[in-house]
Amino acid sequence: MTDDLSINPAKITDKIIKFIRESIKNTGFPKLIIGLSGGLDSAVSCTLGAKALGEKNVLVGLFPYGQLNRDGLTDAKLLIRQLKIPDANIISIDIQSLVDPILKLDSSADKIRKGNVIARVRMILLFDLAKKHQTLVLGTENKTEHLLGYFTRFGDEASDIEPIYGLYKTQVRQLAKYLNIPPKIIEAVPTAGLWQGQSDEGEFGFTYKEADQILYLSFDKNLAASEIEKAGFKKKVIVKVLGHVKRNKFKHELPFVLE
């Protein structure tokens, strides 16, 4: 097992705040907009955006789908109150009336396809609002999700600025504690909220802690699977984690471009 995933949250916070400020400096867009799900990653990104630019310069999109994941919506509002983001900066749109007509086009669509439609509709709204209010879109992707390919292309992966892209999920949780994110959000079961009862780790078949350690040893330390096993990890978990990476590798290679 490895303890090398511990971070200096104060140093990381300062680095990310500087990154956000420098990223928008010459764009002509002095504000940010973020789709706030109520989950850990969006809560951390939103908090960092508010620290970098001030709460008045952060707009929040709340895009619930009917009654799905209402706990996430409650948690998002909890964070908004804590950050003191002005009511005028909050845009709430129930996307069910937008999503359902698309889903009715093909009754054979499984829950993965339905979830992808939900994620992409949210991002269409977010980028349209960014255009309307002359802001940049603040992303929420972490390093674990990126390496595992656990995202919807042209959905939750789409953004203009990615502040926590270089942090593994367990590192984002460390940062969240430093940033005083509400404990309810930190302790919640990670979910994309795309269907009833969905959880990230339930889909994976392994925990984020296991994934982060194995991914760190594989990508940061360049260890082979056999060497990772010698470090104390179960072979079946290593196979699951690295298999997930391999299956979704194509997401990082598209589009194919002829120059």
Side-chain angles (χ1 to χ4, degrees), residues 6-238:
S6 60
I7 62 171
N8 181 329
K11 185 176 180 179
I12 291 292
T13 296
D14 289 343
K15 180 180 179 181
I16 293 175
I17 287 174
K18 182 180 179 181
F19 164 73
I20 293 173
R21 288 172 177 168
E22 289 181 346
S23 295
I24 71 164
K25 185 177 180 180
N26 298 314
T27 65
F29 301 104
K31 296 184 178 183
L32 298 169
I33 187 169
I34 184 171
L36 196 60
S37 67
L40 181 70
D41 299 318
S42 66
V44 169
S45 288
C46 187
T47 300
L48 291 165
K51 282 184 173 294
L53 304 183
E55 67 276 4
K56 293 181 180 179
N57 292 313
V58 175
L59 281 70
V60 171
L62 301 176
F63 306 131
Y65 175 82
Q67 295 302 307
L68 185 65
N69 192 30
R70 300 306 286 191
D71 287 344
L73 183 61
T74 298
D75 292 345
K77 291 179 178 178
L78 175 64
L79 182 76
I80 288 169
R81 290 194 297 272
Q82 177 170 301
L83 295 178
K84 295 182 171 58
I85 293 175
D87 290 344
N89 287 19
I90 303 166
I91 302 138
S92 185
I93 302 171
D94 189 323
I95 64 171
Q96 187 165 11
S97 63
L98 301 174
V99 170
D100 285 356
I102 300 173
L103 298 180
K104 287 178 182 178
L105 295 173
D106 185 356
S107 59
S108 70
D110 60 17
K111 61 186 180 182
I112 300 294
R113 286 176 60 193
K114 291 177 181 178
N116 285 339
V117 170
I118 290 173
R120 287 172 179 141
V121 166
R122 284 174 174 155
M123 201 51 60
I124 288 171
L125 287 173
L126 196 60
F127 271 88
D128 181 60
L129 289 167
K131 183 68 172 178
K132 177 181 179 180
H133 296 282
Q134 294 296 289
T135 72
L136 295 180
V137 174
L138 186 63
T140 65
E141 188 175 18
N142 61 58
K143 190 172 183 176
T144 310
E145 292 172 344
H146 177 73
L147 291 175
L148 292 175
Y150 188 64
F151 55 82
T152 298
R153 295 183 69 237
F154 314 114
D156 53 329
E157 67 146 352
S159 68
D160 295 313
I161 301 177
E162 288 288 353
I164 59 172
Y165 190 84
L167 298 175
Y168 287 104
K169 183 75 169 189
T170 48
Q171 293 174 326
V172 175
R173 186 168 285 112
Q174 292 176 54
L175 189 57
K177 293 177 180 177
Y178 173 78
L179 294 172
N180 293 317
I181 301 297
K184 186 173 184 288
I185 294 176
I186 296 175
E187 296 163 8
V189 175
T191 174
L194 297 178
W195 59 81
Q196 196 66 40
Q198 184 269 343
S199 74
D200 298 356
E201 294 177 335
E203 280 194 80
F204 294 152
F206 48 79
T207 67
Y208 271 115
K209 183 177 181 180
E210 291 172 322
D212 285 359
Q213 292 180 324
I214 291 169
L215 291 171
Y216 173 78
L217 292 174
S218 178
F219 286 89
D220 292 68
K221 295 298 184 181
N222 297 311
L223 296 186
S226 58
E227 295 174 299
I228 296 173
E229 187 177 357
K230 291 177 182 177
F233 294 90
K234 294 180 180 178
K235 183 176 181 179
K236 65 178 182 179
V237 178
I238 298 170

Side-chain angles (χ1 to χ4, degrees), residues 153-154 251 253-257:
R153 295 183 69 237
F154 314 114
K251 291 184 178 182
E253 298 173 341
L254 298 174
F256 299 123
V257 178

